[in-house]
Amino acid sequence: MLGKLLSVGLAALLSISSVASATTAPAPGARLIATSDTERQWMTESQVFDLIRRDVHFRDISDIEEYATGAVVPTPQAAMPIPTSLEYQAEVVELHQSIDMHRYLQKLTTFTSFHTRYYESPSGVESTMWLLEEINAATQNGTLPYVEVETFEHRFAQPSIIVRFNGTSKRDKDIVILGSHLDSINTASPATGRAPGADDDGSGTMTLLEIVRILVDHQFRPYLTLEFHFYAAEEVGLLGSAGVAKAYYEKGTIVRGMSQYDMTGYSGYGKIGLIRDYTDPDLGDFLAKLIDEYLLITYEDSLCGYGCSDHASWNNFGYRSIFTFEAPFGKHSPFIHTVNDTVDNIDLNYAKEFVKLGLAFAVEMSFP
Ligand SMILES: *[C@@H]1O[C@H](CO)[C@@H](O)[C@H](O)[C@H]1NC(C)=O
Ligand SMILES: *[C@@H]1O[C@H](CO)[C@@H](O)[C@H](O)[C@H]1NC(C)=O
Ligand SMILES: *[C@@H]1O[C@H](CO)[C@@H](O)[C@H](O)[C@H]1NC(C)=O
């Protein structure tokens, strides 16, 4: 989760220039930072840190500048529309029986023991390598020939990780994606502060890991290719997902739907926030159906503002994406981005509902 919704005028607060002046030659090492569809500015790292400390929402669009036009990029829509009804209850409910939250907690505890998962820190890379080993173990190191694990390299050290279940369909460019982010941050001291990131986003990361493990154990084979994305560098402006979405767009990948899991373990409010801005309305309605059918908790529609998590990178490229969050925005965990975002503040029963949701999404979306 990135930042907090600001209600004041950003342009006034931060003297951010409009699109027209964004082409001014940047200083070496500067980043092109967007805080809305129309406000962007080249910033130094310390200016970016200042935004992070103020909890301002932003996207770092330096690597996708040619596509970050303010308008959604035209993208080929999937031949298969978003389902209008649920068809696989028996399969989904059977998979739900295999969820193991003790295992989830054990893995989350190790993941949070790295000092920080900040994208440019040594432990940011070590924690990612640990996660990669866990994913390799969960996928039984290639025992299933149609499951593959790859790292997606960026211009910085921390890679993103992708797990792919090759579908049986001949539509080899049509895919379904579940996303989370593997980095963490301490906003008081971004580069070096202790950042356990249990909720943000250890919870979403472990959600995807648990789902992958269950699908492999059940030898699940989707119809459409199903991918699990663990993005690098979300906290510094959605960098990992921007890189992956750009690469997929450029190779003509067609995405039936992308669903983001970022903060799923804080139950203080007790209802899911179904994020309705910078997301696809039909996919939102579909997630609402999944919640009604499969979960013990319910949801409220909510807005989280500009670029609040990785679904926004897919939205930028015109792909259908959605974000289901632990609470309506603003009612979420007060501990994130601090030393106190620890496993003690994770409600496992609550987090389990999101594992159920992700499993339901994976099955219902990857079949006709
Ligand atoms: C799978 O890979 C992991 C990490 O590389 C390793 O620790 C584990 O022993 C391997 N398991 C098998 C069954 O080969
Ligand atoms: C999955 O499909 C792609 C494209 O059809 C192919 O390149 C790749 O080798 C396949 N991978 C596996 C593990 O089956
Ligand atoms: C962390 O929690 C402790 C104990 O409640 C509190 O004293 C401290 O201020 C918190 N730290 C931050 C950075 O929120």
Side-chain angles (χ1 to χ4, degrees):
M1 186 66 179
L2 184 67
K4 152 167 91 188
L5 193 57
L6 273 195
S7 53
V8 285
L10 274 175
L13 181 67
L14 302 165
S15 37
I16 283 176
S17 52
S18 67
V19 173
S21 58
T23 47
T24 315
R31 311 297 306 161
L32 184 58
I33 299 298
T35 49
S36 77
D37 284 336
T38 54
E39 293 167 304
R40 59 184 60 175
Q41 182 172 308
W42 287 98
M43 290 189 175
T44 62
E45 185 178 62
S46 74
Q47 287 176 308
V48 174
F49 283 172
D50 193 45
L51 282 188
I52 291 173
R53 272 186 220 102
R54 296 175 192 222
D55 274 335
V56 173
H57 278 180
F58 65 93
R59 292 167 58 216
D60 182 335
I61 57 172
S62 319
D63 303 335
I64 57 166
E65 189 184 352
E66 68 271 40
Y67 297 114
T69 54
V72 165
V73 178
T75 303
Q77 291 298 315
M80 282 169 52
I82 291 164
T84 51
S85 63
L86 306 182
E87 307 285 344
Y88 300 97
Q89 282 91 343
E91 290 82 353
V92 170
V93 169
E94 191 196 327
L95 293 168
H96 284 174
Q97 308 309 311
S98 298
I99 298 173
D100 180 348
M101 295 308 285
H102 296 290
R103 176 169 66 188
Y104 175 109
L105 176 61
Q106 185 196 0
K107 300 303 179 189
L108 180 61
T109 302
T110 307
F111 199 45
T112 57
S113 69
F114 292 91
H115 179 71
T116 176
R117 303 191 297 276
Y118 184 70
Y119 80 122
E120 279 190 322
S121 65
S123 57
V125 175
E126 286 157 23
S127 56
T128 304
M129 292 304 114
W130 174 84
L131 179 63
L132 181 60
E133 281 190 22
E134 285 298 322
I135 290 170
N136 279 330
T139 57
Q140 300 170 9
N141 298 349
T143 309
L144 295 181
Y146 58 88
V147 179
E148 58 191 358
V149 180
E150 65 187 32
T151 54
F152 185 102
E153 304 297 333
H154 301 285
R155 61 176 168 70
F156 41 86
Q158 183 178 61
S160 297
I161 303 174
I162 294 172
V163 180
R164 177 176 305 111
F165 290 68
N166 256 20
T168 54
S169 158
K170 296 282 181 290
R171 303 173 188 278
D172 63 355
K173 283 192 182 304
D174 285 31
I175 67 171
V176 172
I177 302 170
L178 282 79
S180 65
H181 70 88
L182 52 75
D183 64 315
S184 70
I185 198 167
N186 179 325
T187 44
S189 179
T192 57
R194 167 79 178 123
D199 194 36
D200 188 7
D201 181 25
S203 62
T205 305
M206 294 305 125
T207 299
L208 265 55
L209 178 62
E210 181 67 13
I211 293 170
V212 165
R213 198 188 305 275
I214 291 168
L215 294 180
V216 170
D217 289 351
H218 285 257
Q219 303 194 6
F220 176 82
R221 182 91 200 256
Y223 175 73
L224 293 184
T225 289
L226 175 63
E227 295 194 355
F228 295 85
H229 291 185
F230 302 82
Y231 301 115
E234 187 265 2
E235 299 286 6
V236 289
L238 317 181
L239 281 178
S241 55
V244 176
K246 176 184 176 182
Y248 279 41
Y249 178 78
E250 289 182 340
K251 70 183 179 192
T253 299
I254 299 171
V255 179
R256 192 185 194 192
M258 184 276 176
S259 177
Q260 176 73 355
Y261 297 81
D262 182 1
M263 295 170 57
T264 66
Y266 173 77
S267 63
Y269 189 77
K271 286 185 197 173
I272 292 175
L274 181 54
I275 302 300
R276 291 295 200 168
D277 55 344
Y278 300 95
T279 58
D280 183 79
D282 295 340
L283 198 54
D285 292 347
F286 178 67
L287 269 284
K289 278 200 184 73
L290 294 176
I291 293 168
D292 286 342
E293 175 73 21
Y294 293 113
L295 270 51
L296 300 174
I297 54 177
T298 182
Y299 69 93
E300 282 177 18
D301 285 348
S302 179
L303 307 175
C304 71
Y306 187 73
C308 68
S309 191
D310 295 306
H311 62 284
S313 293
W314 295 90
N315 179 265
N316 181 93
F317 282 89
Y319 291 116
R320 299 181 120 167
S321 64
I322 188 65
F323 181 28
T324 43
F325 187 48
E326 63 194 8
F329 193 78
K331 312 282 188 188
H332 57 276
S333 169
F335 306 113
I336 63 163
H337 301 163
T338 75
V339 294
N340 292 333
D341 184 8
T342 58
V343 293
D344 307 338
N345 292 316
I346 299 294
D347 181 333
L348 288 178
N349 288 326
Y350 200 72
K352 181 179 179 180
E353 294 301 305
F354 283 85
V355 182
K356 289 164 62 183
L357 181 60
L359 272 167
F361 180 86
V363 174
E364 297 276 4
M365 280 290 283
S366 68
F367 276 104

